[in-house]
Amino acid sequence: QVHVVESGGGLVQAGGSLRLSCTASGGSFIRYAMAWFRQAPGKEREFVAAASWSTRNTEYADSVKGRFTISTDNAKNTAYLQMNSLKPEDTAVYYCAAHRPTPNTNRVWVREGEYDDWGQGTQVTVSS
């Protein structure tokens, strides 16, 4: 069983920044391809950002392109989501997800159903 833990959420004013962190441990692999999803009140969970296992490729939702950056520290087995220029509509519970390695290490997984292991989520609230 892969244990996924997020941290770093909080309350920030519009225009501010936050950095979320996520570690994935346990399971059969040393590290995993990581992604971030979010769920706002009354809405379905949606894709935010993901990186390939190789970390060579990344994908972003259109709504966060140019503002959010996903990165990974392989030595720490940790993924980050740097969120800049935050908007009230970014308010949501942010979830980290882990995908086991596959032969295509450059593939970026962007669908919720492709991920088997999830964290409990961390709340991000952006005030106007």
Side-chain angles (χ1 to χ4, degrees):
Q1 183 69 26
V2 180
H3 189 50
V4 181
V5 180
E6 309 97 335
S7 63
L11 173 64
V12 64
Q13 288 188 333
S17 299
L18 278 177
R19 189 178 78 158
L20 306 182
S21 300
C22 173
T23 59
S25 59
S28 303
F29 304 97
I30 295 175
R31 64 183 185 87
Y32 298 80
M34 308 295 282
W36 291 93
F37 292 77
R38 67 186 181 185
Q39 186 169 22
K43 295 186 177 181
E44 295 186 350
R45 189 155 56 184
E46 64 177 5
F47 170 75
V48 176
S52 62
W53 185 89
S54 67
T55 73
R56 183 171 300 173
N57 297 323
T58 57
E59 292 284 347
Y60 295 92
D62 289 342
S63 59
V64 306
K65 281 181 181 177
R67 301 188 298 121
F68 291 11
T69 302
I70 185 171
S71 62
T72 56
D73 184 334
N74 291 337
K76 296 182 179 180
N77 216 19
T78 299
Y80 303 97
L81 185 68
Q82 178 66 43
M83 304 185 294
N84 299 328
S85 302
L86 282 160
K87 304 175 181 179
E89 51 263 44
D90 294 317
T91 295
V93 177
Y94 283 71
Y95 295 91
C96 180
H99 193 291
R100 70 187 188 284
T102 63
N104 185 354
T105 60
N106 292 322
R107 179 171 177 173
V108 182
W109 308 89
V110 300
R111 294 186 177 90
E112 182 177 345
E114 293 170 330
Y115 289 86
D116 293 325
D117 299 293
W118 294 81
Q120 293 300 307
T122 185
Q123 177 70 46
V124 172
T125 302
V126 184
S127 63
S128 57

